[in-house]
Amino acid sequence: MSKITVTINGKAYLTEPDKTILQVATENKIYIPTLCFLEGIKAQGSCRICTCMVNGKMMTACTTPVNDGMEVVTNTEELEKLRSKIVELLFAEGNHFCPSCERSGNCELQALAYRYKIMVPEFDYIYPARDVDAIHPKLIIDHNRCILCKRCIRRKKEPENPTWFVFENRGNKVKINFDKEHTADMDDEMAQKAMDTCPVGAIIHKEKGYDVPIGRRKYDKNPIGSDIEGKE
Amino acid sequence: MSKPIVATTSLAGCFGCHMSFLDIDERILDLIELVEFNKSPIDDIKTFTKKCDIGIIEGGCCNSENVHVLQEFRKNCKTLVVIGECAIMGGLPALRNNVAPISECLEEAYLNCVSVQANDEKIIPNDDELPMILDKVYPCHEVVKIDYFIPGCAPRADLIWNALVALVTGNEMELPYEVIKYD
Ligand code: SF4
Ligand code: SF4
Ligand code: FES
């Protein structure tokens, strides 16, 4: 395949045209924060955390394909501020009681907040009235923590994986629900897989949790993205 | 030169942040050298006896007394620092915010809960002497202006210590990645 050149943060990289900006950056140890993106499922570009400057315009890195001569900037002060404000909005919009959350320490949203050193969101908390749905034998859906990234739903696009979750309602009433048929006889392994698909603590595998002590959880010592940046 | 004066209080919190504050171990000796305490549960001074430089607040506002104390702190302290998730976002007391109106919470606590036994007259405490419960739990910065926020549940002792030292000495605060935690 013919190679193209893409410039990221002033440095030129040789790559192939069928890749996204996010892929090229990741391959070259440049971390671009993501939230609604998950390796292996089709990108949707809804959370806007991965926004970069592309030929002078703001574009989402997870959905934008590279082309020859493209100039990408991933880390200006303005972009970092935009990203940290998106994280603050998500905290103000849901009910995130991290001290009592099973996902705390392993949560991508929380990890981004740590990375951006957010001490308090700039926005007033909404405290929306939301339910916890614990009817399923293996899973709990905690709508208080759901950021509606749709990762749990989009995974159905892989043909070998059946639908586990669906969206119901519209607009600001939208929420996820179980696909009752396909989650009827879930085993523990599938339940764990469902939990791992979610970036936050909205899908919880029942009768499991708090099993990694504080200090040894994924983001206790190393910021999210440090594996990509090639740091310790 | 006189020492900076510090006041502290616990509003709708569990005193965990104060415990974490005391977790600075032997640095407590440095602390005594560094600052003078005024109104605080640490020295049991109940009311402000002079203007303070730094007010440290744990817990959010769940009743009228919390609001009153917080406003007193704003009036009497040059700089207000809130510590812990309860002060910053309501914390676990704020779990009631999105669940039910306050009337239902009180009915559950005093009338309907399975563990309620000796309340035949069906009394929900409502005496003038008691602080009024607020409709929801409010983070401190939604009640008065707050200058600095120290997250954690409780915030790591090092984080509280570094913040205090930075404020007192006027130096920039050290913020290593590991100390900023929300749990
Ligand atoms: S989902 Fe993440 S941000 Fe939300 S409460 Fe749990 S740990 Fe905190
Ligand atoms: S449950 Fe999790 S994966 Fe699904 S939409 Fe909500 S946050 Fe995203
Ligand atoms: S990760 Fe690209 S928009 Fe969400």
Side-chain angles (χ1 to χ4, degrees), chain A residues 91 95-99 101-110 144-145 199-202, chain B residues 182:
Chain A
F91 270 90
N95 296 305
H96 292 277
F97 295 96
C98 294
C101 179
E102 294 91 327
R103 197 64 190 259
S104 193
N106 299 309
C107 166
E108 291 177 34
L109 175 65
Q110 189 193 55
N144 294 291
R145 304 170 186 153
V200 293
Chain B
Y182 299 166

Side-chain angles (χ1 to χ4, degrees), chain A residues 13-85:
Chain A
Y13 297 94
L14 213 56
T15 183
E16 293 91 40
D18 57 344
K19 293 184 171 164
T20 62
I21 296 172
L22 181 65
Q23 272 174 308
V24 177
T26 307
E27 282 167 12
N28 290 292
K29 294 192 177 304
I30 298 163
Y31 173 64
I32 300 173
T34 57
L35 207 45
C36 70
F37 173 82
L38 182 64
E39 192 66 58
I41 60 173
K42 193 167 175 279
Q44 141 183 288
S46 63
C47 76
R48 318 313 275 185
I49 287 276
C50 67
T51 301
C52 291
M53 297 309 287
V54 181
N55 296 337
K57 281 210 279 207
M58 284 190 178
M59 310 273 269
T60 47
C62 68
T63 51
T64 309
V66 288
N67 55 43
D68 198 31
M70 189 182 253
E71 302 247 356
V72 181
V73 184
T74 68
N75 56 3
T76 63
E77 207 175 299
E78 187 190 10
L79 288 171
E80 291 289 88
K81 178 147 188 214
L82 174 91
R83 292 173 187 146
S84 107
K85 290 295 155 191

